[in-house]
Amino acid sequence: TYVVTDNCIACKYTDCVEVCPVDCFYEGENMLVIHPDECIDCGVCEPECPADAIRPDTEPDMEEWVEFNRKYSEMW
Ligand code: SF4
């Protein structure tokens, strides 16, 4: 899965939301998040993010971000 990280805070762009083929972006409190179970790992959103906030969970120490994204995508 891909996850949104804190570079997203205060970013006003939604290019990532528009390109996602499965519509798995959600609004968090002050940033967007990706539902980790709905993301199909296509990677299309990553280069669209001008803030470089979208990272694959295969990078080190991403477990907390995965849980953060899950929490806020299931909150509403
Ligand atoms: Fe959507 Fe693909 Fe990005 Fe996952 S990797 S959030 S499916 S665009």
Side-chain angles (χ1 to χ4, degrees):
T1 185
Y2 279 70
V3 295
V4 187
T5 62
D6 50 356
N7 277 5
C8 181
I9 296 170
C11 173
K12 298 285 187 285
Y13 293 92
T14 54
D15 306 49
C16 53
V17 179
E18 281 155 34
V19 297
C20 179
V22 294
D23 225 6
C24 63
F25 280 88
Y26 295 84
E27 294 257 11
E29 276 187 332
N30 56 2
M31 56 180 273
L32 297 172
V33 290
I34 292 170
H35 195 306
D37 297 337
E38 295 175 6
C39 173
I40 58 170
D41 230 11
C42 72
V44 168
C45 57
E46 186 188 353
E48 298 297 327
C49 176
D52 203 24
I54 303 174
R55 312 302 323 153
D57 74 339
T58 48
E59 290 187 356
D61 304 320
M62 294 307 267
E63 294 85 359
E64 279 185 36
W65 279 113
V66 173
E67 290 320 306
F68 180 95
N69 277 244
R70 180 188 304 282
K71 176 181 165 193
Y72 283 96
S73 53
E74 291 177 347
M75 176 159 279
W76 325 107

